[in-house]
Amino acid sequence: MTGPAPRRRGRPSRTEEETGPGARERILEAARAQFAERGYDKTSVRGIGKAAGVDPALVHHYFGTKDEVFAAAIEVSFEPAAVVPAIVGGPRDSIGERLARFFIGVWENPASRAPLLAIVRSALTHEAAAKVLRTFVLRRLLERIAAELDVPDPKFRAELAASHMIGIAILRYVIQVEPMASADPERIVEMVAPTLQRYLTEA
Amino acid sequence: MTGPAPRRRGRPSRTEEETGPGARERILEAARAQFAERGYDKTSVRGIGKAAGVDPALVHHYFGTKDEVFAAAIEVSFEPAAVVPAIVGGPRDSIGERLARFFIGVWENPASRAPLLAIVRSALTHEAAAKVLRTFVLRRLLERIAAELDVPDPKFRAELAASHMIGIAILRYVIQVEPMASADPERIVEMVAPTLQRYLTEA
């Protein structure tokens, strides 16, 4: 949505700074920072609005509920509309490698890692965060990839692939187990790619 | 340790019921139930003692700190001294299958699932629980298995295998994503066994 913010009773109309084209981006950036720093639980739409320098109503206007702001903050890292064709579109025998490299790349990028850490940490204890994980990582990314690949049980296979990548993220980035935490990302890609390839393409 | 509990100042000596051979087991059972029901954070040595009908000092005497009680409660599910030889000792080309089946079996058993759920839920937010996960699941179980197998980078390979199994546990038992949550355990074993086999045995 990019329309103007709705007026609220008794409020003056918003300034250009508050509603201008930069506001949506500022809100997303503030949301990513707040979720990453404070965790899912302690982040509020009010706090995001404050950090972005906008009225909380504008956060609601652009994104809806706190869950939906969270989902939007995560989606920036995944951009399924661009990622799915890039992974599925190349040679079929290197899908596992492209998916593994995309996944590690998202996590190795500090800007996307921070909100992902927040979601993974929260997903095990908060249903709302778990739902975001299900909706975005699974439904919108991995299931779309699996659906393109014409294998039996595409959802189950997408979940097998997702389970491995989520587990790697937990050991490497959350619990920071060695040597996994310091391993060369390419070494992880090399080991994991054949697994993802098998789950996603072999009957 | 199986010796008598240490006396505390001003307390009467303990009854047979409190210190007898059943006390250690009762404490462990109470610990498993408390950690599972209340989570890592809210469980105390005092509460475990109360639930087991013993003085908290006896809990300390048998197990040490809260972390160590937790570790002991988890270890019952894994029994690395028995499990490692059973997994490594059979035919080398079915190690992945035995490990996958052991892992799913532990999780499918409600008695062992409950404390495991507590540890996995807590490990992402509490360093003490993460340490138990590292120490027991990784060091005492998977690394021992990998060490027996004479592959390069045994720790890294053990962590790759662990990451997949932890991820499956999270999707199936914690977040309960479908179809993973309702999948036949044997179907999971069938899909995952070749992955574990490759990580643990192929150079």
Side-chain angles (χ1 to χ4, degrees), chain A residues 120-125 127 130-131 133-134 138-139 143 152-153 155-164 166-168 170-171 174-181 183-184 187-188 190-196 198-199 202, chain B residues 120-125 127 130-131 133-134 138-139 143 152-153 155-164 166-168 170-171 174-181 183-184 187-188 190-196 198-199 202:
Chain A
V120 168
R121 281 213 171 92
S122 303
L124 300 200
T125 43
E127 174 51 28
K131 192 179 164 194
L133 194 67
R134 280 198 296 266
L138 283 168
R139 301 276 167 272
E143 282 187 14
D153 309 323
K155 282 191 179 188
F156 181 56
R157 286 155 175 278
E159 288 169 6
L160 283 169
S163 72
H164 198 4
I166 289 168
I168 288 171
I170 288 171
L171 289 194
V174 183
I175 303 186
Q176 300 181 14
V177 173
E178 293 294 354
M180 178 72 85
D184 181 346
R187 175 86 176 114
I188 297 174
E190 178 197 342
M191 292 295 284
V192 170
T195 302
L196 304 183
R198 184 166 65 82
Y199 290 156
E202 289 173 33
Chain B
V120 168
R121 282 212 171 92
S122 303
L124 301 200
T125 43
E127 173 53 27
K131 191 180 165 195
L133 194 67
R134 280 199 296 266
L138 283 167
R139 302 275 166 271
E143 282 186 14
D153 309 323
K155 283 191 177 187
F156 181 56
R157 285 154 176 279
E159 288 169 6
L160 283 169
S163 73
H164 199 3
I166 290 168
I168 288 171
I170 287 171
L171 289 194
V174 183
I175 303 185
Q176 301 182 12
V177 173
E178 293 295 355
M180 178 72 85
D184 180 346
R187 174 86 177 115
I188 298 174
E190 179 196 342
M191 292 295 284
V192 170
T195 302
L196 304 184
R198 185 167 64 81
Y199 290 156
E202 288 173 34

